[in-house]
Amino acid sequence: MDRNSAGISGQYTRSNSDYNQPNDHAASSRRGRYRHTTVRQWDPPPRTAPRRNEFYQSSTAYSSQYLLRRSVNPAQDFNALTQQEIMDGLVSKSHRFGHRYDGRDHGLYASSIKKYTSTAKRPLNRAEQSQLMRVLQNFTATRSWNWRSLTTTLHSFTSAGVFTPHKPLDERVKITQTALLSTLLDAIIFKCNQKPEASYVGAQEIANLLWAMAKLVDSGQERTPGLNAAVAALLPHVNAQKDQFIPQHIANLLWAMAKLVDNGQEQTPEFNGAVAALLSHVNAQKANFKPLGIANLLWAMAKLVDNGQKRTLRLNEAVAALLSRVNAHKDRFNAQGITNLLWAMAKLVDNGQQRTPGLNEAMAALLPHVNAQKDQFNAQGVTNLLWAMAKLVDNGQEQTPELNKAVVALLPHMNSQKAHFKPQEITNLLWAMAKLVDNGQERTPGLKEAVAALLPHVNAKKNQFIPQHIANLLWAMAKLVDNGQKQTPELNEAVAALLPHVNAQKANFNPQEIASLLWAMAKLVDNGQEQTPELNEAVAALLPHVSAQKANFTPQGIANLLWAMAKLVDNGQKRTPGLNEAVASLLPDVNAQKSNFNPQEIANLLWATAKLVDNGQERTPQLKEAVAVLLPQVNPEKANFKPQEIANLLWAMAKLLDNGEDRIPELKKAVAALLPHVNAQKDNFKPQGIANLLWAMAKLVDSGQERTPEFNEAVAALLRHVNTQKANFKPQEIANLLWATAKLGEFVELNVVTSMFESLVYRISENSQLSHQDILMSLWGVMVCCARLSLNSNNNHWLEKHMDDLFTRLENTLPDNPDNNEEKQYVIAMAASWLGRSCPFVPHYQTIMSKPQSDFRDQLQSCFPSLQIEEEKSLNSLPPVDLLLPDHNMVIEIQGPFHYVGGDFKTRNGSTLLKIALLQKAGFEVIEIPVNMLLNQDLMKPYIDQIKTRVDIPPQGHGSVSLKRRWADEAYVTADKGSQPPDHGYLTAEEHSEEQTGKPEKRKKTNSQ
């Protein structure tokens, strides 16, 4: 609900025209202490001294009796009310009776102005106000006026809009308003400070005066020292008279105090004491509050809490007492009452109010009336209702059929009333729709039309949005786009219209708004928004304020900021000094606030740190500490992570490991804590989550993750969902799936792999917009699948066609200097070897001789001194082999634990399978020796004997021992750890398509290359 939400709405206490109140003989006022200008005052010595309580008699034609008669008729013409003769009569009476004049005729005149506006059902317009001000130049309140006259005058003029500052404001009108208000406030302050026996202020006067002062401020009047002093002077009387207030007074007073606070009133001890005094009577009088009073009270309490009022037991009891009355009065609430109630409930829940059965019942009772009264809500009401429902849903309210019907009923009014929405209302509406959609609201035609109707008004009113509006609008548009909203020309224009204002108002954004803005820009860019100069300038303008306000960001703000910066960098944002400083300034706050992050924030922070590191962020001590303090938070919150958060967390931990993070105990525990939840929530993962999770599982295994039963179950659970959702995977996600499945090698059953590739690969081939990275990952995955089929004597020609297509696309997009991209080098070289095509370059491989490899070579050489053995040879531009027996076309691979899934020396991974298949396709016999079989000569002997058999050398002293497996069918083959190029996620390969043949001379020639 915005700051202009109505509170009393015409339910003011009206002054009767026939009241008789004892005259007040307080001293008259000369010049008010808080006046800003001079207004003529008459305070001569009285001609006569009437007895106490005697009515004054006026000899003028326009006596108080005449005014009394005229004020009875509410339909009188406004021109008649602004005749100079009327004011002359008031001035004459005030002049004649001096300090004995109690101001009653002035009060009656003010009442007549209010009655005119009540009949017209609107406040004074600018022209009427200007006309009236010519008359009111001599309308002066003095300290001699009694409470009733002061209250009636201030309340009536405020209600009628006499003090409303219309824009543009005429200087003459402003001077008259200021002077008149100053004399009224001066008299009120004077009377408040008198001893009770000298001047008694009643409960009704206190309620009406505070309501009027709140209304003044809310209508735009400046909070002058005089007005502040008048409020302060009245507050002690609230406590003193607390037992005299009827329900209507309590409702009006709390509404007024909420409005004052909402407009900057300091919550002093006196103010808090007055609130506490009133709250104690809400519960006791709950049965006597009328529907509008209930609505205004709940609105007031919500507004007070929203502005920092402590949620005391007394306040909670008052809220509960009022909520219990909502159902009983549900048929009597008008449109404004329904709006105030739902807004109040939403705001209370947003500030920590427990969603009790009473609150749920009250909401359920009101929602059907939104639909029934849909035609009665004005633009502000529509805004506040949609905001309230969005906020309630965001705080856990179930989207019941009644709530959905209420939303659907209101949406058409956004189109029909689009011209009447103020900037704040446009902001709140777009925020509400974005939040509803983000929480599962169906994007109905009505919602799409409502968004489309509002977007042009963002551009039209761009100069009227304050910083909060700009932040919320950009957040809303980013969230709508993230949930499927098309980036229409209207939306792009709205974004473009707002971005320059980010730079212009950069110094006025608070921490929450800075976080929302950077998050929104990152999300828009992530969904295809062009990084225009205006967007880059907006980002650059905000980054210095991140560092400057680092101490003021909440845990959510820290999480959103680091997420945003990681996402911007991931989408091409330059890592400027400003961005680096912003990241560095936030990281220590992760440690400082570690216990305050909720599950979503923990997931976003770990994802952000992983993504920043993946994009070149230095792993500083601060970053390592941030990761270290977050990981222990995963286990306690494991049951509270949503599917997307589980996927992001496992992806982040896998990416951190892939970029050099140590496998510390906290990381192992975090992974172990999450794995059971993958299986438990398997039906809730979206395609992106499935792809990221399988990628993460493959990476974790590649980094030494133990294959626990939970790990095995998680992988199996995810694989079952790939084919069922095959139509929903994006190209990048398909590339990740192909890579991950290939990386897991023999861990995934061959029939599962084949089924997945059959359903996914064709979509890669048909997509012409694949990135280089996606092509690289897909080509590698296809090669591994071909390798598995080849090693199992299965047909793989259908896959080789896709391999050839991907190879051509990758080859055609090679950079001028491919030496700078090792990943592409290795994949293209392997694909060229498989397809029998020439490699456009000679890849550079690092060679490392391992000790087991050297020991076995020495043992083999000692057994066969004449045997020619070569080490670390690259054959046909393939990764180097450990040992080559060139005279026998035999390759010996010493397989370390990293050649197997989970290091089990049984389940070969994709890299291993691909290298073996490529060598076999090139005509080499390959023998794999697991490194754990080289621990002693007894374990080694079967392999030595097998080699003897292959090279036709008779056994020396012992019988030949046959190997249990042959290379072509079951032999363990893996790529040598030392010779394998760095694996950046694209370095596994399977079979090649066409068999490459050639004479030994040709192979030797290739080897010499």
Side-chain angles (χ1 to χ4, degrees):
M1 189 173 198
D2 68 10
R3 57 180 288 146
N4 296 318
S5 302
I8 303 303
S9 183
Q11 301 296 316
Y12 324 126
T13 303
R14 297 178 181 272
S15 301
N16 296 323
S17 59
D18 57 347
Y19 69 84
N20 292 316
Q21 180 177 341
N23 295 326
D24 200 332
H25 293 277
S28 61
S29 171
R30 299 307 193 270
R31 294 192 184 274
R33 288 176 296 165
Y34 301 99
R35 294 176 62 186
H36 297 277
T37 187
T38 303
V39 177
R40 280 186 292 167
Q41 296 192 13
W42 284 264
D43 196 9
R47 299 181 185 180
T48 59
R51 294 185 300 275
R52 187 181 297 271
N53 299 334
E54 181 180 342
F55 287 105
Y56 298 119
Q57 301 297 321
S58 173
S59 60
T60 66
Y62 300 96
S63 64
S64 62
Q65 301 300 321
Y66 175 78
L67 286 171
L68 179 63
R69 289 193 300 273
R70 289 192 60 89
S71 65
V72 172
N73 179 11
Q76 59 190 310
D77 182 68
F78 182 73
N79 291 328
L81 290 172
T82 56
Q83 292 179 7
Q84 187 60 44
E85 290 85 352
I86 297 176
M87 189 54 56
D88 290 343
L90 293 173
V91 170
S92 176
K93 174 159 285 191
S94 178
H95 176 82
R96 177 176 307 212
F97 295 104
H99 68 273
R100 297 193 308 276
Y101 177 59
D102 60 6
R104 72 178 64 192
D105 288 347
H106 284 69
L108 289 171
Y109 178 72
S111 293
S112 68
I113 300 297
K114 189 181 80 169
K115 287 182 179 181
Y116 166 76
T117 57
S118 296
T119 302
K121 297 181 179 179
R122 60 167 178 79
L124 297 175
N125 58 38
R126 190 167 181 267
E128 290 170 337
Q129 185 191 67
S130 181
Q131 182 180 349
L132 180 64
M133 284 301 169
R134 293 187 181 91
V135 178
L136 293 182
Q137 290 182 39
N138 295 326
F139 191 104
T140 306
T142 68
R143 295 179 176 181
S144 67
W145 285 17
N146 59 32
W147 274 115
R148 190 160 206 176
S149 298
L150 288 170
T151 304
T152 301
T153 301
L154 183 60
H155 188 281
S156 297
F157 278 165
T158 302
S159 301
V162 173
F163 296 118
T164 300
H166 290 291
K167 294 181 180 180
L169 185 61
D170 182 83
E171 188 63 25
R172 177 185 58 82
V173 172
K174 181 180 179 181
I175 291 172
T176 305
Q177 283 179 338
T178 303
L180 176 55
L181 188 56
S182 179
T183 61
L184 284 166
L185 294 175
D186 179 82
I188 290 166
I189 294 166
F190 174 78
K191 288 198 169 294
C192 283
N193 293 332
Q194 285 184 302
K195 293 181 181 180
E197 58 270 18
S199 176
Y200 178 80
V201 54
Q204 181 174 339
E205 285 80 13
I206 295 169
N208 285 357
L209 282 169
L210 277 171
W211 181 92
M213 292 177 203
K215 194 69 176 176
L216 281 169
V217 174
D218 197 49
S219 65
Q221 272 293 334
E222 186 183 354
R223 287 181 56 83
T224 61
L227 195 143
N228 292 337
V231 171
L234 278 169
L235 287 174
H237 293 279
V238 175
N239 202 349
Q241 295 275 349
K242 59 187 177 185
D243 296 328
Q244 308 302 319
F245 293 117
I246 61 174
Q248 185 180 355
H249 298 159
I250 296 170
N252 288 1
L253 278 167
L254 280 169
W255 182 92
M257 287 192 271
K259 268 296 175 189
L260 286 166
V261 167
D262 198 40
N263 283 289
Q265 172 71 34
E266 187 182 356
Q267 293 190 18
T268 61
E270 292 77 14
F271 183 95
N272 293 333
V275 171
L278 292 169
L279 288 173
S280 61
H281 289 275
V282 173
N283 198 357
Q285 298 205 42
K286 63 183 179 183
N288 300 320
F289 288 108
K290 296 179 181 178
L292 188 58
I294 294 171
N296 287 342
L297 275 168
L298 279 169
W299 181 92
M301 286 185 269
K303 183 58 78 173
L304 286 166
V305 168
D306 195 45
N307 281 289
Q309 181 76 28
K310 288 184 180 179
R311 295 185 64 252
T312 61
L313 177 62
R314 188 172 290 172
L315 189 142
N316 291 337
E317 289 175 352
V319 169
L322 290 169
L323 288 172
S324 66
R325 304 295 301 166
V326 172
N327 200 359
H329 289 287
K330 61 185 178 184
D331 297 325
R332 298 174 60 194
F333 289 109
N334 60 18
Q336 185 182 349
I338 294 169
T339 303
N340 285 1
L341 279 167
L342 282 169
W343 184 92
M345 287 188 272
K347 189 53 89 170
L348 286 166
V349 168
D350 197 44
N351 282 291
Q353 176 74 29
Q354 189 178 357
R355 296 185 66 252
T356 60
L359 189 143
N360 293 335
E361 288 173 9
M363 184 167 176
L366 288 171
L367 285 173
H369 292 277
V370 175
N371 199 351
Q373 297 200 43
K374 59 187 177 185
D375 296 328
Q376 309 302 319
F377 295 108
N378 58 19
Q380 185 182 0
V382 172
T383 304
N384 290 348
L385 280 169
L386 279 169
W387 182 93
M389 287 186 274
K391 184 57 80 172
L392 285 164
V393 167
D394 196 44
N395 281 291
Q397 172 68 33
E398 185 183 356
Q399 288 184 298
T400 60
E402 290 75 17
L403 188 141
N404 292 334
K405 286 178 184 176
V407 171
V408 170
L410 290 170
L411 288 174
H413 292 279
M414 292 170 61
N415 200 351
S416 61
Q417 298 204 42
K418 59 187 177 185
H420 301 126
F421 291 115
K422 300 173 184 176
Q424 183 175 355
E425 292 162 357
I426 294 169
T427 304
N428 287 357
L429 282 167
L430 281 168
W431 182 94
M433 286 186 285
K435 187 57 81 172
L436 285 167
V437 169
D438 195 45
N439 281 290
Q441 179 75 29
E442 188 180 353
R443 294 186 70 252
T444 61
L447 191 142
K448 294 176 183 177
E449 290 172 6
V451 171
L454 287 172
L455 286 174
H457 293 276
V458 175
N459 197 355
K461 297 191 175 183
K462 60 188 176 185
N463 295 322
Q464 300 177 48
F465 293 112
I466 61 175
Q468 183 184 6
H469 299 161
I470 295 168
N472 286 354
L473 278 168
L474 281 168
W475 181 93
M477 287 186 273
K479 187 56 83 171
L480 284 167
V481 167
D482 196 43
N483 282 291
Q485 173 74 31
K486 289 184 180 179
Q487 288 188 307
T488 60
E490 291 77 13
L491 189 140
N492 291 335
E493 287 174 9
V495 171
L498 290 170
L499 287 174
H501 292 277
V502 175
N503 198 351
Q505 300 208 43
K506 60 188 176 185
N508 301 320
F509 291 109
N510 64 28
Q512 183 181 354
E513 292 157 3
I514 294 169
S516 293
L517 279 167
L518 281 168
W519 182 94
M521 288 186 275
K523 184 58 80 172
L524 285 166
V525 168
D526 195 44
N527 282 290
Q529 176 75 30
E530 186 183 356
Q531 286 186 292
T532 60
E534 291 78 13
L535 189 142
N536 292 334
E537 287 174 9
V539 171
L542 289 170
L543 287 174
H545 294 277
V546 173
S547 189
Q549 299 206 45
K550 59 186 178 183
N552 301 319
F553 288 108
T554 63
Q556 183 182 8
I558 295 168
N560 285 354
L561 279 166
L562 282 169
W563 182 94
M565 287 185 272
K567 185 57 81 172
L568 285 167
V569 168
D570 196 44
N571 281 292
Q573 177 76 29
K574 290 184 180 179
R575 293 180 51 80
T576 61
L579 191 141
N580 292 336
E581 288 174 10
V583 170
S585 68
L586 288 171
L587 288 173
D589 290 297
V590 175
N591 196 352
Q593 301 212 41
K594 59 187 177 185
S595 59
N596 299 321
F597 292 111
N598 64 29
Q600 183 183 4
E601 292 155 3
I602 294 168
N604 284 355
L605 280 167
L606 279 168
W607 182 93
T609 51
K611 184 58 80 172
L612 285 166
V613 168
D614 197 44
N615 281 290
Q617 174 74 30
E618 187 182 355
R619 294 179 66 247
T620 61
Q622 291 81 5
L623 190 140
K624 292 178 182 178
E625 287 175 12
V627 172
V629 299
L630 286 170
L631 287 172
Q633 307 294 321
V634 174
N635 200 356
E637 296 282 0
K638 60 188 177 185
N640 300 318
F641 290 112
K642 298 175 184 175
Q644 184 181 353
E645 293 158 4
I646 294 170
N648 286 354
L649 279 167
L650 283 168
W651 181 93
M653 288 185 271
K655 184 57 78 174
L656 286 166
L657 284 172
D658 195 42
N659 282 292
E661 181 73 29
D662 295 330
R663 286 185 57 80
I664 55 178
E666 290 78 9
L667 192 143
K668 293 180 181 179
K669 289 178 183 177
V671 171
L674 290 171
L675 286 174
H677 293 277
V678 175
N679 196 3
Q681 299 212 41
K682 59 190 174 186
D683 297 327
N684 300 319
F685 289 108
K686 298 177 182 177
Q688 183 183 6
I690 294 171
N692 285 355
L693 277 168
L694 282 169
W695 183 93
M697 302 281 198
K699 268 298 174 189
L700 287 167
V701 164
D702 203 38
S703 298
Q705 171 69 32
E706 185 182 356
R707 280 176 49 199
T708 61
E710 291 79 11
F711 180 91
N712 298 341
E713 290 173 6
V715 173
L718 291 168
L719 288 171
R720 287 192 291 270
H721 286 275
V722 173
N723 272 345
T724 58
Q725 298 206 40
K726 60 185 179 184
N728 301 319
F729 288 105
K730 298 174 184 176
Q732 183 183 5
E733 294 159 2
I734 295 174
N736 283 344
L737 282 171
L738 298 180
W739 181 91
T741 311
K743 188 69 177 177
L744 290 168
E746 291 178 325
F747 179 78
V748 183
E749 294 180 10
L750 182 58
N751 63 337
V752 175
V753 175
T754 307
S755 174
M756 280 182 57
F757 275 67
E758 285 178 344
S759 63
L760 294 175
V761 170
Y762 77 94
R763 293 189 58 206
I764 287 286
S765 298
E766 292 176 351
N767 193 298
S768 61
Q769 304 299 321
L770 287 176
S771 68
H772 293 168
Q773 185 180 16
D774 295 337
I775 297 173
L776 205 64
M777 293 178 73
S778 302
L779 177 59
W780 187 85
V782 169
M783 283 195 289
V784 174
C785 187
C786 280
R788 287 199 67 183
L789 291 170
S790 175
L791 291 172
N792 286 274
S793 302
N794 290 341
N795 174 32
N796 61 5
H797 292 292
W798 62 276
L799 265 180
E800 288 179 345
K801 294 178 182 178
H802 293 293
M803 187 196 303
D804 187 75
D805 174 66
L806 290 167
F807 176 82
T808 302
R809 293 168 69 179
L810 196 62
E811 190 179 33
N812 291 339
T813 56
L814 276 176
D816 294 335
N817 185 8
D819 292 346
N820 294 332
N821 194 321
E822 290 183 345
E823 294 176 359
K824 285 186 179 180
Q825 280 189 14
Y826 304 148
V827 174
I828 288 175
M830 289 187 286
S833 176
W834 189 284
L835 295 169
R837 295 167 66 169
S838 62
C839 186
F841 47 80
V842 178
H844 304 290
Y845 297 108
Q846 293 180 349
T847 59
I848 302 174
M849 181 76 71
S850 65
K851 187 176 187 303
Q853 177 182 334
S854 298
D855 291 344
F856 185 76
R857 181 200 182 285
D858 294 341
Q859 180 68 26
L860 191 62
Q861 195 75 71
S862 67
C863 293
F864 314 112
S866 63
L867 184 65
Q868 184 178 354
I869 305 173
E870 297 183 12
E871 299 179 274
E872 298 298 327
K873 285 291 184 179
S874 178
L875 308 173
N876 295 344
S877 298
L878 298 177
V881 297
D882 292 346
L883 302 175
L884 172 67
L885 309 183
D887 295 333
H888 302 280
N889 285 341
M890 185 181 295
V891 168
I892 300 170
E893 290 284 272
I894 310 301
Q895 311 290 39
F898 288 99
H899 295 276
Y900 301 91
V901 178
D904 64 355
F905 292 101
K906 295 179 182 179
T907 309
R908 292 175 288 179
N909 62 26
S911 299
T912 304
L913 294 170
L914 178 55
K915 186 176 182 182
I916 296 167
L918 282 167
L919 290 168
Q920 285 186 350
K921 193 171 181 64
F924 295 94
E925 182 180 6
V926 185
I927 295 178
E928 175 194 16
I929 305 177
V931 73
N932 66 338
M933 303 303 290
L934 302 179
L935 299 177
N936 56 60
Q937 289 190 354
D938 290 339
L939 293 173
M940 196 185 304
K941 187 168 66 171
Y943 297 95
I944 297 290
D945 290 343
Q946 180 65 21
I947 294 169
K948 287 179 183 179
T949 302
R950 294 292 185 271
V951 299
D952 296 323
I953 299 176
Q956 299 178 6
H958 55 77
S960 64
V961 180
S962 63
L963 288 173
K964 295 181 179 179
R965 305 173 184 82
R966 292 193 51 148
W967 230 182
D969 40 70
E970 302 177 61
Y972 293 113
V973 182
T974 50
D976 176 51
K977 175 183 175 184
S979 63
Q980 183 178 337
D983 184 353
H984 299 285
Y986 319 103
L987 300 178
T988 49
E990 286 287 354
E991 320 176 281
H992 291 289
S993 58
E994 296 182 358
E995 189 172 11
Q996 180 177 346
T997 59
K999 297 180 180 180
E1001 289 79 13
K1002 184 176 182 180
R1003 284 198 296 273
K1004 288 181 180 179
K1005 183 180 179 182
T1006 304
N1007 293 341
S1008 67
Q1009 294 175 355

